Amino acid sequence: MTEQKNIESAVPKGFDPRLLGLETANSGQEVETGKLVQFVSFRVDESEYGIDIMAVREIQGWVKVTTLPNTPEYVRGVLNLRGIIVPIFDLRCRFGHGLTTASPLHVVIIVAVGERIMGLLVDAVSDILTINTEEILPVPEVEARSEQRFLDGLITVHERMVALLKIERLFDIEKIVANAGKAAS
């Protein structure tokens, strides 16, 4: 029961995963296509990131996964999610900060990328952000770091910076699946 309570505290208040992807009245705000967008924000290390809420299918606590041979280090394994085999990716490792020492306090965000379903291991989910697209700032070109190609923009929310991720650029899922298939044969 304690683990369940801790997982619930990692999910923002008012967040209902059953409503993801559904159009609802948004606390009196009129959502216009192309004007207001929503992101699920989460923490990895000391940084906060956001992904398009329309890609999020559900959020769940960390559970043990089955590892796959010959996969990149950031692929933590696969999870059987109600009959669908879902690869789980460690974002901390993907960003080059080492493997996450996963515990029941960590969170997996299940997302859809194209026709693929995948899980993102993060430290905690922070908030649901509704912003105007005009508030999204471009990512400055500081130096040629691979991490920057994952970024789609930056926003400031209550004096904190949130980096918006382009999840399609995070993983070459076709290559990972092909390599895992070769290892299995």
Side-chain angles (χ1 to χ4, degrees):
M1 288 304 276
T2 304
E3 288 180 13
Q4 182 65 28
K5 187 174 183 177
N6 289 335
I7 291 167
E8 289 174 1
S9 67
V11 176
K13 189 174 185 177
F15 178 77
D16 185 350
R18 295 171 298 184
L19 300 178
L20 289 175
L22 300 176
E23 290 186 30
T24 60
N26 187 10
S27 64
Q29 293 178 319
E30 183 176 338
V31 178
E32 295 178 35
T33 303
K35 287 288 186 184
L36 293 180
V37 289
Q38 290 187 307
F39 296 92
V40 173
S41 67
F42 55 90
R43 287 186 300 105
V44 175
D45 285 330
E46 299 300 319
S47 300
E48 190 169 356
Y49 299 92
I51 55 175
D52 187 344
I53 197 168
M54 297 305 289
V56 177
R57 296 298 173 251
E58 67 182 84
I59 297 171
Q60 61 176 262
W62 170 256
V63 293
K64 189 173 180 180
V65 296
T66 303
T67 58
L68 296 175
N70 297 328
T71 55
E73 188 178 25
Y74 57 82
V75 179
R76 295 299 293 260
V78 293
L79 174 70
N80 185 344
L81 187 67
R82 295 181 294 279
I84 300 172
I85 303 301
V86 178
I88 306 297
F89 299 94
D90 185 336
L91 279 189
R92 180 190 316 261
C93 185
R94 183 64 178 131
F95 295 154
H97 302 285
L99 280 175
T100 299
T101 305
S103 75
L105 297 178
H106 287 84
V107 176
V108 176
I109 303 174
I110 305 295
V111 296
V113 180
E115 296 182 9
R116 297 240 182 236
I117 302 292
M118 64 178 68
L120 307 175
L121 174 61
V122 302
D123 292 344
V125 172
S126 306
D127 206 351
I128 297 173
L129 308 172
T130 302
I131 60 165
N132 191 310
T133 54
E134 295 171 355
E135 297 175 57
I136 300 174
L137 304 171
V139 179
E141 291 185 33
V142 179
E143 61 181 270
R145 294 177 48 192
S146 63
E147 199 172 304
Q148 286 186 331
R149 68 187 167 100
F150 308 143
L151 302 180
D152 201 28
L154 300 167
I155 57 174
T156 302
V157 181
H158 304 295
E159 300 181 13
R160 65 184 202 266
M161 186 71 71
V162 178
L164 303 177
L165 293 178
K166 189 82 168 174
I167 53 176
E168 299 85 19
R169 296 182 196 152
L170 282 171
F171 311 102
D172 186 353
I173 190 72
E174 301 297 334
K175 187 176 179 180
I176 292 169
V177 170
N179 286 343
K182 287 178 189 174
S185 59

